[in-house]
Amino acid sequence: MGKNGNVVKKPSISAQAARAMIDAATAKATEMGFAVTVAVVDESGVLKAYERMDGAVHVSVQLAQDKAFTAIGFGLSTDGWYDFIKEDGPLAMGAPPAIDRLVTFGGGYPVKVDDVVVGGIGVSGGHYTQDMEVAQAGLKALS
C-alpha cells in the first residue's frame, strides 16, 4: 500500500497464464467436436486473452466475455448465480435485467490464486454444460 494508503496493489492473471487457459480450452472443444469462443479477463473484468475458433457462432463473441465478467463480479461461477437467485423471487426477476452483462447459466468461472480472484474465464459456443466442461479444462491449465 502507498505511503498514505492511496494505492491498492491487486493480484492479476498474467498474459502467459491467460493464453495457456485459452489453449487448453480450445483443445478441449476441438476434442469434443465443436467450436467455441473463449475469453479470459483480469480481476477487473478487462479482456486479457481471447479466441473465437473458426465456426464459433456469432452470439458466442459477446457471451463468452460476459460469462468471464460475471464470474469475477462476485467470485462466483455463472451456474452458481442461477443457484443463488432461483429461490429468491425478487432477485430472480430483478438481477438478470438489472445487472449489466450478468449471465446465469454455465460456462463462466472465476480464476482464483490463494483464494483471491485474479481473473475469469468464459466459454460460449455449445450447450452451457459443454461450455462448462471446456472452461474447466482451461482452469486446469493453471493447476
Side-chain angles (χ1 to χ4, degrees):
M1 199 176 289
K3 183 177 178 182
N4 297 322
N6 294 330
V7 176
V8 176
K9 294 183 180 182
K10 299 188 288 186
S12 187
I13 190 166
S14 70
Q16 180 180 355
R19 185 73 242 164
M21 293 176 72
I22 296 277
D23 291 344
T26 55
K28 182 64 173 180
T30 299
E31 174 189 312
M32 292 173 68
F34 68 103
V36 297
T37 298
V38 184
V40 177
V41 299
D42 68 14
E43 79 294 341
S44 297
V46 176
L47 194 60
K48 189 76 172 199
Y50 173 87
E51 183 169 328
R52 178 177 173 235
M53 296 173 66
D54 293 337
V57 296
H58 289 120
V59 70
S60 69
V61 170
Q62 187 63 46
L63 198 47
Q65 293 175 68
D66 290 349
K67 287 181 180 184
F69 184 84
T70 296
I72 62 102
F74 281 92
L76 185 62
S77 66
T78 53
D79 60 298
W81 263 98
Y82 175 77
D83 291 337
F84 181 67
I85 67 174
K86 70 181 180 185
E87 301 297 327
D88 187 325
L91 275 179
M93 293 293 291
I99 301 173
D100 191 36
R101 301 179 65 186
L102 180 68
V103 178
T104 60
F105 51 89
Y109 293 93
V111 178
K112 295 182 179 183
V113 174
D114 297 329
D115 218 25
V116 173
V117 176
V118 298
I121 184 171
V123 173
S124 182
H127 185 271
Y128 71 85
T129 57
Q130 294 170 308
D131 294 347
M132 291 168 70
E133 191 173 343
V134 171
Q136 289 166 359
L139 287 173
K140 288 179 185 168
L142 299 185
S143 36

